[in-house]
């Protein structure tokens, strides 16, 4: 890291710890970066997730995200498929612990400084977003199962070496 990058990381950390609820989530007793393995119910295939934090005493999952513009994080949820991540991690949690998580929290930190701090906000998804995430997650699992069964992977192209490269190998 450069000195400037280290300074930015320290300021981001300070911003998170200055937010009382974010600090509580960070400091709460729980498992950080612990993998959860399960067989997905609809396909039977082995899955894995690694939540940033699982606060099992409350049944909460926490995922830390960064964003350039915290006011537009709702767009990031769609663009980066965080609603499907919520569904996948929640399915893994439920399979492992025998009940769905009581909450899934996105701890979001802006990478754009504002008034000497990096804005920090906490988000959960509403039921409509969670339902869309479950639909997307299950569709993705069905596609994965089909690709495994057929050996055909959409979007995968086969390349050959250019003619001139083949000549050099001989």
């Amino acid at each position: 890291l450069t000195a400037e990058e280290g300074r930015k990381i320290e300021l981001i950390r300070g911003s998170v710890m200055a937010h009382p609820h974010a600090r509580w989530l960070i400091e709460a007793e729980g498992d950080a970066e612990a993998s959860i393995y399960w067989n997905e119910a609809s396909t039977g295939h082995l899955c894995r997730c690694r939540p940033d934090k699982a606060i099992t005493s409350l049944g909460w999952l926490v995922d830390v995200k960064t964003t350039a513009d915290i006011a537009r994080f709702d767009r990031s949820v769609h663009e980066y498929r965080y609603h499907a991540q919520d569904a996948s991690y929640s399915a893994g949690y439920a399979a492992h612990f025998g009940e769905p998580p009581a909450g899934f929290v996105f701890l979001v930190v802006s990478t754009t400084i504002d008034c000497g701090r990096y804005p920090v906000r906490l988000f959960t998804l509403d039921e409509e977003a969670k339902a869309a995430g479950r639909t997307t997650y299950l569709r993705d699992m069905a596609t994965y199962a089909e690709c495994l069964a057929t050996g055909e992977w959409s979007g995968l192209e086969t390349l050959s070496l250019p003619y001139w490269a083949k000549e050099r190998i001989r």
Side-chain angles (χ1 to χ4, degrees), residues 49-131:
C49 67
R50 184 174 291 159
D52 290 332
K53 184 133 188 202
I55 306 172
T56 53
S57 63
L58 298 174
W60 285 12
L61 294 173
V62 180
D63 197 63
V64 178
K65 300 291 187 202
T66 59
T67 183
D69 185 355
I70 208 160
R72 296 171 53 106
F73 185 70
D74 57 340
R75 295 171 190 256
S76 295
V77 169
H78 179 265
E79 183 177 345
Y80 297 112
R81 300 165 37 93
Y82 295 153
H83 59 305
Q85 177 192 358
D86 179 320
S88 171
Y89 284 31
S90 295
Y93 186 97
H96 184 76
F97 291 104
E99 60 186 13
F104 189 106
V105 179
F106 291 103
L107 191 165
V108 182
V109 183
S110 177
T111 57
T112 305
I113 200 161
D114 184 17
C115 297
R117 291 261 184 219
Y118 291 90
V120 176
R121 292 178 62 189
L122 305 175
F123 297 99
T124 60
L125 299 179
D126 66 16
E127 284 307 313
E128 184 179 9
K130 285 182 173 289

